[in-house]
Amino acid sequence: MVLAITAILATVAVPPLSDAIARHRLRGAMTALMDTLQHAREAALYRPGGTFVCPSENGRTCSGRIDWGVGWITRDRDTKDVLSVEDALDPRLTAVSTGTRTEITFPPSGDTKDTSPTNQTLALCLHGQPATAVTLVVAKNGHHHIEPASPDVARACGARHSRNR
C-alpha cells in the first residue's frame, strides 16, 4: 500500500518538477547570453576592431545561422581570436534570432556607428511552450534589455526545434 501511494505521488510530482527545472535552465540561458553580450561590449572598448558574438556549433567558428541554441562565441573582429565560448543549451530550450542577422556586433571604443539597420532580437523559450518565451533586445549601441515576447515571436519560438547538442 505504501509503495502504491509513493508511486502515485511520484507520478504526480515529476512533471511539475521537470517543468521547474526547465524554467530554471531558461533563466540560466538568458543570464548567460546577457553576460556574454555585456563582456563582449566591454571587450570591444579595448580592441581596435571591436568584437562580435555569433552562434557556433563547434566553439571555434560562427555557424552563419540564426539558431543560438547550438551555443555561441565572442570573437575579436580584427584578429578573429575567440574570446569566450558558451556551450549548447539544454535540448528542451530554443534560442533563435527573430531577424536575419547572424551576429551581434560591438564597435570599438563605444562607437555607436553600427551599420545594422535595426535592433537585434533573440527569443528564448521552452520547446513547445510559447508562453515561456522572452526576448532579449540588443540596441544598435550595444545596450540590451529583456521584454515579453510578442505573440508571433512566442509562437515561432515555441514551434521551432533548436539543433542543440
Side-chain angles (χ1 to χ4, degrees):
M1 186 65 145
V2 171
L3 289 176
I5 292 172
T6 304
I8 291 170
L9 290 175
T11 304
V12 171
V14 169
L17 180 60
S18 178
D19 283 350
I21 291 169
R23 288 178 193 273
H24 176 72
R25 289 185 176 153
L26 178 63
R27 284 191 300 274
M30 182 60 78
T31 299
L33 184 54
M34 289 175 49
D35 287 348
T36 297
L37 295 175
Q38 183 63 35
H39 290 127
R41 186 169 181 251
E42 291 170 0
L45 296 173
Y46 304 102
R47 298 182 179 274
T51 61
F52 64 98
V53 180
C54 61
S56 176
E57 296 175 35
N58 60 18
R60 295 181 307 279
T61 59
C62 295
S63 68
R65 301 176 190 265
I66 61 171
D67 183 355
W68 290 72
V70 298
W72 54 84
I73 58 175
T74 304
R75 296 185 78 174
D76 182 288
R77 182 149 300 282
D78 285 342
T79 66
K80 304 298 188 231
D81 291 339
V82 175
L83 307 175
S84 70
V85 177
E86 186 69 32
D87 290 332
L89 302 180
D90 182 290
R92 293 175 283 186
L93 302 179
T94 301
V96 294
S97 171
T98 59
T100 58
R101 291 171 53 195
T102 58
E103 66 181 39
I104 298 172
T105 303
F106 296 94
S109 305
D111 183 4
T112 57
K113 295 177 184 157
D114 185 356
T115 59
S116 56
T118 61
N119 294 339
Q120 176 73 33
T121 303
L122 302 171
L124 278 81
C125 67
L126 296 175
H127 176 66
Q129 297 183 30
T132 62
V134 292
T135 56
L136 177 64
V137 179
V138 184
K140 289 174 59 170
N141 66 3
H143 291 281
H144 55 274
H145 66 277
I146 297 174
E147 60 185 43
S150 70
D152 290 340
V153 169
R155 231 180 346 271
C157 185
R160 184 178 177 100
H161 186 65
S162 184
R163 296 182 345 198
N164 308 0
R165 291 178 247 154

